[in-house]
Each structure stands twice: as structure tokens, then as C-alpha cells.
Amino acid sequence: VHVFGALIFEKHFVTQDAELCLPNLTNKNRSMYMQEVHKTDSVHTLRQKIERSHEIIEEAIQMFPEDQLCMAWTGGKDSTTMLWLYRSVCSKLGVRMPRAMFIDEGCVFEEIVALVDLVRNKWNIDVEILKNRDVSDKAEEIGSLIQVADLNERNRAELSKIGFTEDAFVFEPESFVGNHLMKTAVMNTFLIKNKIKALSTAIRWDEQTARNQEDYFSPRTDPPHTRVHPILHFTERDIWETIHEYDLPFCSLYVQGYRSLGAKGSTTKISDIPAWQQDLENTPERIGRGQDKEKIMEQLRSLGYM
Amino acid sequence: MVMRMKISPRTVLIGLDGVPHSLLLDLKKSGCIPNIAKILQNGFLGRMEVCIPEISSVSWTSFMTGKQPGEHGIYGFMDLKPGSYDLFFPNYTHLRVGTLWDDLATQCKQSVVINMPATYPARSINGALISGFVAIDLDKAVYPVSLAPYLRRLNYRIDIDTARARTDHSFLFRDLEETLDTRRRAVEYLWETIDWDMFCVVITGTDRLMHFLWTAYEDRSHPQHADFLNYFRTVDAFIGSIYERFTALDGYDPIPDKFYMISDHGFTAITSEVYLNAWLEQNNYLRFQRTPPRSIMDIGPGSKAFALDPSRIYINLKEKYPLGCVDGKDYEEIRHHIAQGLSNLTFDDGRPVMRKVYFKEELYFGPCLETAPDLVALSNHGFDLKGKVSSRTVFGKSDLSGMHTQDDAFFYSSSGAPCGSIYDAGKILFNGFFEPENEIKGPSLGT
């Protein structure tokens, strides 16, 4: 107990020290600095990584009022682990857990719905299910045609914001238009309506190259809010070790071999062995999500091709 | 840091994606690019023509191979899987011909190539390669792979976040600066750690900026006019620092050691986008099975032709495509009709849209002619041709304000060697290594 306490004290001290230095650093420097800390600060063991996440979460809870902090929960392994980390910190501090938001993009795996139900009951999570019904109600199924004129003003404004000028589009959650309306727009509406100042998401540095530059606290402009990323320093392997060591609930799709979960129609499994038994270090985590081609097309679209 | 064993000749190439010859002259005149202006005082600077279609993947591939698409096989960012309407990404491993750095390797010369478009996934090189646009996964974008962890520590960025930058312009400028800054750090690292003979780096941010905010350049009262010029100041400082390192190399000699700058196409303002598939539909050459179509895969029976980005037109031949309906004997007639019809297309104000509609054999020859588009259109400045399928009208606008030009790229050589076509640029670089030292060809035209 004594050793454990000393460790916490020491960690806390380091954080305090780091806090004092941070305001003078630019965002980019801060990121490098945090990664330096991450590297040199011997945050090697799982316990230390969890401790670091606890510190970030505690900082977030102290920085933002409870009703203005929200956790983004997808039902996947990362965000469920993040919820568990919040739960530990809140119980230590004796405060209420921030609410969670879950985006139903119109094509959710039944197994994810089951996991979300299980966890919300088990941990008593206040979860808001967000769905852009104005769009989804007009589509009988994936692939249905939706007339822009039938949508409400808010959705029409979102379409013109992304430069979409056609009369109709096909309902598909992971297409450019679909993703924007069913995920981005619905989330932004929620953030604005509830005056959310901080949204905590479970992205990790090792997940994608594009995430390398993320910080634990990262400002966003539209709408203005802070993104809190408490598990940036976790690797995919760390997540599974945490889940198994602390016996956390997880979605049954991972047992079937899915590595990373997206919309039902566009996520495939690349192996039949459980996710955590796959070669995590040498194969890409998001390979089952039609990544390269889809991403290439996204990038091309953003430059006006396709 | 390596002990520098190499003696001359050494070559540096800076690629400036999309920078028009005309813009370079204008920025030079207005004093925005003092370092580049100083470099341009000696050597040759001229306007250069590029390939058709005039897009980065085709153009840079033409540069690095010294070949045209009929030989290298890259006709666009995406192409059709044989015998289908399904698109695939013709990547660097599909490239069947050697590159400038492959040729240099046969002469035991090492190359460092940073951010070269159309080199993803990276393949082996004598030296080091970091792929440029379109490149998704950093681990697959570097050779040797041992470079990846280092680049990750630098927060190296392949490209800006184009999806966000397209609409969020304050983010655009921040992201452009940050991305160039990580590029600079990768340059500094590889400059010192590899004993290179050729050092190549491409800046892509210029193309991004001009797509999104060309109007900010043309319109002096535009709120982002100063930001636009400032980015070019940053690019100028970047090039200035490389040039300074270059001339400070051990044993630097301006005759055998050569400095080049090129672009892969030019830019101009968009008057209107032109949707070729909508034109084909309205002229009864094309119909889709669903409205709106999601991709060319939704093509319907009875279609005689279809278009792919940006300006490629394919005749829907019976033996070639699943829903092909055009007999071989009717091929020429339909091709001529479409070429004729498109050539006569005019904008609202009566201006002709097309400069010329080419038959494939006018542009391409070689083993990859089979996969070439049957017709390729080249538009007049201002008319941005698009292969998008979902537009019901032939003309339209988007939030993009700049488009590529084919006849206004630039070429600069410190040696004075002239070059008017992108197909020759790679050869000039290669030959530059093996010239008798005192013989410099070409007059200095110094425009």
C-alpha cells in the first residue's frame, strides 16, 4: 500500500510539474512534450498507463462542469475501456459520472446494441442515443434514395456546408454524405444543444498515422469545444490486456475475429480467431474496415475528384 | 550523421505541386519569394507542358519514368478493373516501368525521395523514399520501414487534412504550415543521414491551397489574400534553406552539382465545373440504373459511353465491359460523334469549353494502350472537367476555386538545361549526372 501510494504521489507530482510548464507551449510542442513524457517517464507498465489516463480524466473533470463533459461511446473496446477508467476516477472523487453519447448511424451491429445495454445497466451509465431520424426515417433501407427537399432545414444546411448540391443522395452511413449527416452533424447538434464544452473520445496514438499529432486536450472550433483523449498512449495490446486483467465487458464480435468495429455494412472480419489472439503488432488494426481504398477515395473526394 | 564520401555531381530537385509558371513570375515580381528569385538569377526557367490528363498522379509518374501513360499505364488516380466498372487505385507497385531513381541505382547512385506523389505503397529504393499523395498508412509509405518510427516521432504528415481544410480555411493555413514544418524536419534528417547523390522533395501544400483558395490569390481584397502570399513566403524560406545547405556541401561546385525546381501542372480560376457524365447522359450516350448513381458501377444497359475523372471517356464496347453494347464496327463512328459533340460544347456565355478532344492514339502509344481511355478531353482555362456521376446538369460550381492547367507548369535548372515537356524532365536530371563537366547545354533564357 505504501509503495502504491508513493507511486501515485510521484506521478501526481510529475503531472503538477508538467502542468506548470504547459501553458507556455504551443499545441504542437505540447504534443511532443507529452510524448516525451510518455517515453522517458517510464510509463511502461499497464498500471502506469492506467494511472496516466486517470490523471487526464481527473484533470478533465476538474476543468469542466459535470453537465458540460461528455463521453463518446461506440460500444467498441476502446471507448468501453475509457468508460471504465472514468468510472474508477469518479468513484475515487465521489462525483457523478459524465453522461455518454452513442451515435446510431443507421447500421449498428446487434452485438454492439447488446453490449451497450449490458454495460449501461451494469455500470449505471447515463447514455444518450443520437440518431439523425430526419434522415434515417426517410430511408427504408441502406441504399434508399433520399430527396434533399424532404429533409429539415438543419440537415439541408449541413449538406450545403459540405458542398453537396444535388437533389438527392443514397442513404449509406459510411459514404461521404451519409457519414456527415448521420455522425458529424448529429454529434455537432448534440454538442451545441447541450452546451457541451468537452467531449472525451477513445482514440489512440497507435491506431492511425493521422492520430499521431493528437494531444490529450485538443481544441476544436466547429462547434468550439475541447476534445479529451485519455487513452492516447494505450496500444491495441494494452486495451486487450486491460480488458482481460480487469475483466471488463466487451462486444462478442471481437471473439468472432473482428479487430475494429464500424458500421455493419462495411466492417468485415479478417480472421476467425479472437481479436486479442491475432498478430496485433504486425497487422493493421483497421484492415477489416475497407480502409485504404475508402480512405483514398475520401481524400480524392476532398480535392474534388470522384 | 554520415561521413560525406560523395564528391560531385550531386543533384537536388524541388517539386512544387501545381505551381504555374505565370504565378511564379508574378510572385517573383511582387517580392514574395526572395530566395527563389535569387536562385532564378542563374540557369533556365521556362514554361512547361505536362501530360493529359493533367493531374498529379499521371504527371509525376510521367516525370519519374520519362514515359507517357501508354508506356507507364497510369491514366488517373483511379482506374477500372479489367472487364468491370469497378474502380481500383493503380498504385506504385502496379507501375511496370523503372523510375529515375531506379536508373540512378543501376549507376550506384543513392536517392532520397520525399513526398513524391504516386509512389504509394513505397517500394525499394537505393536510398530512402517517403511516398506522397495518395498515401494512407505511414508504415506502407516509407522505405526502408525502419524510417517509420523516426518519422512518427517527428509527427511527420503526408498531407494536410484536406477534408477539413476544404471548408475550414483558418485550419487550412495552420495545417499547411505544420505539414511543411514536419516535411522540413524529415528533409533535415535524411539530408544528414544518407550519403545521397540525388535529393528530391515535393511540396503538395501549394496544390491544396490553390484548389481551395485560388480566388484569394487573384482577388487582392479577399480576406485570405495575405495568408495565401504568406504560405508562399514559407515555401520560399523552405527552398532557401535547402539551397543554402546545397551550396554549403563539401566540395560544392555549381557546374557538376545541379539544382532543379519543377511543377506537375499549373493552376487557374474555375469559371465552371463541367460534368462529362451529365453531358453523355443528356446526349443519350449514357444512362444509369439508379438515381442518383453512386458510382460508374450503376451504369445501365444500353449505355454507349461513360467518363472517369477528370476527362477520360470510354466507349462501352461489347467485348470489353459487362454491360457493353457497342459493336467493334461502330466504335469509330461513336467516338467521332462524341468528340464532335464535346468539341461543340459551349458555356452559357458562348465560350467553347474544349481546347481539344483527343483520340487515345493521338496521345498515347505503348504496351498499356489497351487500358487507355478512348477519348481524353482538354478544356480551355476555366472549365474544370469532372467525371462525377451524380450531377444532373452539365455545368455547376462547388466550393473549389482553382483548377489545373496543362500548359503552364514550369521547369527550372541551375545548369541552364531547358525543358518544355514533363516527359523530358526526368531524363534531363539523369543525364545531368553524366555530362562532361565543362559542357553545359542550352542557353540561359532566364525569364
Side-chain angles (χ1 to χ4, degrees), chain A residues 28 143 145 161 166 168 170 172 209 212-213 221 292-293 295-296 299-306, chain B residues 87 89 120 133-134 136 138 140 152 155 157 162 166-167 181 290-292 309 386 388 390-391 404:
Chain A
K28 194 168 53 195
L145 189 67
K161 195 163 123 190
E166 316 304 321
V170 173
E172 249 172 304
T209 313
N212 287 339
Q213 49 175 354
T221 48
D292 262 20
K293 187 181 168 190
K295 278 205 186 155
I296 284 166
Q299 286 199 12
L300 290 172
R301 259 180 229 123
S302 68
L303 287 163
Y305 302 104
M306 306 304 295
Chain B
L87 293 172
F89 171 60
Y120 179 80
F133 182 76
V134 181
I136 300 300
L138 189 64
K140 291 196 261 171
R152 200 160 271 134
N155 286 326
R157 305 275 308 278
T162 44
R166 180 171 174 165
T167 47
D181 195 48
R290 53 191 296 164
T291 320
D309 263 324
K386 297 279 181 197
K388 110 178 191 180
S390 56
S391 177
H404 296 183

Side-chain angles (χ1 to χ4, degrees), chain A residues 68-80:
Chain A
Q68 293 177 1
L69 173 63
C70 179
M71 306 175 292
W73 186 23
T74 65
K77 63 187 189 311
D78 303 307
S79 60
T80 306

Side-chain angles (χ1 to χ4, degrees), chain A residues 35-53:
Chain A
Q35 289 190 43
E36 269 322 294
V37 170
H38 168 52
K39 271 201 334 267
T40 57
D41 200 23
S42 11
V43 185
H44 292 318
T45 68
L46 199 56
R47 166 155 294 286
Q48 285 167 326
K49 288 186 181 184
I50 290 172
E51 208 46 60
R52 162 122 312 147
S53 298

Side-chain angles (χ1 to χ4, degrees), chain B residues 31-303:
Chain B
C32 281
I33 49 170
N35 291 295
I36 295 174
K38 208 175 113 199
I39 297 168
L40 297 179
Q41 281 170 2
N42 299 301
F44 168 89
L45 171 69
R47 187 163 155 152
M48 180 174 75
E49 293 211 3
V50 301
C51 53
I52 301 172
E54 60 280 25
I55 56 173
S56 295
S57 61
V58 186
S59 211
W60 286 114
T61 303
S62 300
F63 158 74
M64 71 179 87
T65 62
K67 304 233 179 324
Q68 46 77 43
E71 298 165 290
H72 63 60
I74 307 294
Y75 292 97
F77 280 115
M78 300 297 276
D79 215 322
L80 293 170
K81 289 181 186 163
S84 85
Y85 303 106
D86 195 7
L87 293 172
F88 81 105
F89 171 60
N91 71 31
Y92 192 39
T93 61
H94 299 124
L95 187 63
R96 290 281 166 253
V97 294
T99 61
L100 172 59
W101 30 100
D102 294 334
D103 292 344
L104 287 173
T106 66
Q107 307 298 314
C108 299
K109 294 199 180 290
Q110 285 207 85
S111 305
V112 172
V113 180
I114 300 173
N115 196 36
M116 180 62 68
T119 60
Y120 179 80
R123 60 188 199 192
S124 72
I125 183 173
N126 182 23
L129 169 68
I130 308 173
S131 317
F133 182 76
V134 181
I136 300 300
D137 180 351
L138 189 64
D139 290 322
K140 291 196 261 171
V142 295
Y143 186 92
V145 275
S146 57
L147 251 181
Y150 181 79
L151 292 177
R152 200 160 271 134
R153 279 204 296 283
L154 286 184
N155 286 326
Y156 182 79
R157 305 275 308 278
I158 293 168
D159 203 344
I160 65 166
D161 179 350
T162 44
R164 185 170 165 199
R166 180 171 174 165
T167 47
D168 183 348
H169 291 153
S170 65
F171 171 79
L172 164 69
F173 287 104
R174 216 164 55 233
D175 213 24
L176 281 170
E177 295 279 343
E178 284 188 16
T179 303
L180 188 56
D181 195 48
T182 70
R183 199 97 65 217
R184 180 182 57 72
R185 281 186 278 162
V187 165
E188 286 167 2
Y189 176 70
L190 290 172
W191 187 280
E192 297 297 340
T193 46
I194 291 183
D195 194 14
W196 52 268
D197 301 276
M198 184 180 72
F199 197 98
C200 242
V201 57
V202 177
I203 297 172
T204 338
T206 43
D207 175 271
R208 306 299 181 253
L209 175 57
M210 293 185 284
H211 268 299
F212 299 149
L213 277 173
W214 179 262
T215 42
Y217 159 61
E218 287 196 337
D219 174 4
R220 283 167 186 282
S221 64
H222 191 285
Q224 262 120 3
H225 181 69
D227 293 329
F228 186 100
L229 298 181
N230 271 337
Y231 180 66
F232 276 90
R233 287 193 181 93
T234 310
V235 168
D236 178 68
F238 176 89
I239 293 172
S241 80
I242 292 178
Y243 188 71
E244 201 173 305
R245 280 167 182 273
F246 178 60
T247 53
L249 285 173
D250 260 359
Y252 167 77
D253 180 336
I255 304 282
D257 293 326
K258 295 178 176 73
F259 195 86
Y260 300 90
M261 292 184 279
I262 71 168
S263 62
D264 61 327
H265 52 79
F267 253 93
T268 193
I270 298 177
T271 303
S272 177
E273 292 184 349
V274 182
Y275 310 114
L276 294 175
N277 281 313
W279 183 88
L280 288 170
E281 230 182 325
Q282 290 181 7
N283 288 275
N284 296 319
Y285 292 108
L286 173 64
R287 62 179 63 120
F288 288 105
Q289 292 186 37
R290 53 191 296 164
T291 320
R294 294 163 304 176
S295 75
I296 205 66
M297 286 178 81
D298 289 333
I299 189 170
S303 296

